[in-house]
Amino acid sequence: MPRSRINGNFIDKTSSIVANILLQIIPTTSGEKRAFSYYRDGAIMLAQSEGNYAEALQNYYEATRLEIDPYDRSYILYNIGLIHTSNGEHTKALEYYFRALERNPFLPQAFNNMAVICHYRGEQAILQGDSEIAEAWFDQAAEYWKQAIALTPGNYIEAQNWLKITKRFEFE
């Protein structure tokens, strides 16, 4: 077994032990504990990593039903958006990214993913010969990338380069 896999398993096991201890000592409602257990048990992440998106979505939907903390819900909603993006369901993905950002406006990865979808739609519009619609999509992508970059200035270098090349944003 590769060393990275052994280290990963050790970290996973250690994280699970710490999570179990925290779950016992931190005062939380039974619903919050059940929502957290989806993560702790790895059911969602395992299903998602194996490409079983239907099962992962089902578990995420259950977690959103149980989780009351807006910050934690934002990550659940973001992850639902990821699955919809992977499935090519961009309208649904955008909806879940928006919902995540309503609860946590400091998710640069949600802004980035929204920008990627808009950029993709712009490229599709070009292929269909509609440059006006393409420009609107590209402008929207630029706005989302600007928000992502504002939150994490050292990240999204490719987006920063695209913004510079297309003269949609000047950096200092």
Side-chain angles (χ1 to χ4, degrees):
M1 180 179 299
R3 183 171 176 78
S4 62
R5 179 96 184 237
I6 293 169
N7 289 340
N9 288 339
F10 172 76
I11 291 170
D12 290 344
K13 288 176 185 176
T14 304
S15 296
S16 292
I17 292 168
V18 171
N20 284 331
I21 293 168
L22 289 174
L23 199 56
Q24 292 172 4
I25 62 172
I26 295 176
T28 56
T29 66
S30 63
E32 288 173 313
K33 286 181 182 181
R34 284 199 327 267
F36 181 76
S37 73
Y38 279 97
Y39 292 108
R40 183 195 65 212
D41 295 341
I44 295 174
M45 295 302 180
L46 179 62
Q48 190 171 345
S49 70
E50 292 178 350
N52 189 347
Y53 297 133
E55 181 183 342
L57 278 174
Q58 185 177 22
N59 287 323
Y60 278 130
Y61 292 142
E62 180 65 12
T64 60
R65 192 181 70 75
L66 297 170
E67 184 59 65
I68 59 173
D69 180 70
Y71 182 82
D72 291 340
R73 282 179 66 89
S74 72
Y75 282 94
I76 295 167
L77 294 166
Y78 168 77
N79 286 327
I80 292 171
L82 284 177
I83 291 174
H84 286 302
T85 300
S86 295
N87 288 340
E89 300 168 326
H90 295 150
T91 301
K92 282 185 180 179
L94 288 170
E95 174 190 335
Y96 280 95
Y97 294 141
F98 278 120
R99 290 176 62 189
L101 288 165
E102 285 174 347
R103 287 154 183 83
N104 179 4
F106 302 103
L107 279 174
Q109 60 271 40
F111 286 116
N112 178 64
N113 291 357
M114 291 165 55
V116 169
I117 290 170
C118 291
H119 189 271
Y120 171 79
R121 287 183 169 180
E123 289 177 333
Q124 294 302 303
I126 286 174
L127 292 175
Q128 294 171 0
D130 197 337
S131 61
E132 190 175 316
I133 294 294
E135 282 304 308
W137 281 116
F138 290 144
D139 288 344
Q140 188 61 62
E143 291 307 311
Y144 292 140
W145 269 322
K146 288 177 193 176
Q147 290 176 285
I149 292 164
L151 291 171
T152 54
N155 291 344
Y156 310 114
I157 302 302
E158 288 181 35
Q160 290 181 33
N161 289 336
W162 180 82
L163 289 167
K164 286 178 189 176
I165 290 167
T166 61
K167 298 187 181 359
R168 285 184 165 84
F169 193 59
E170 296 299 321
F171 297 92
E172 297 174 8

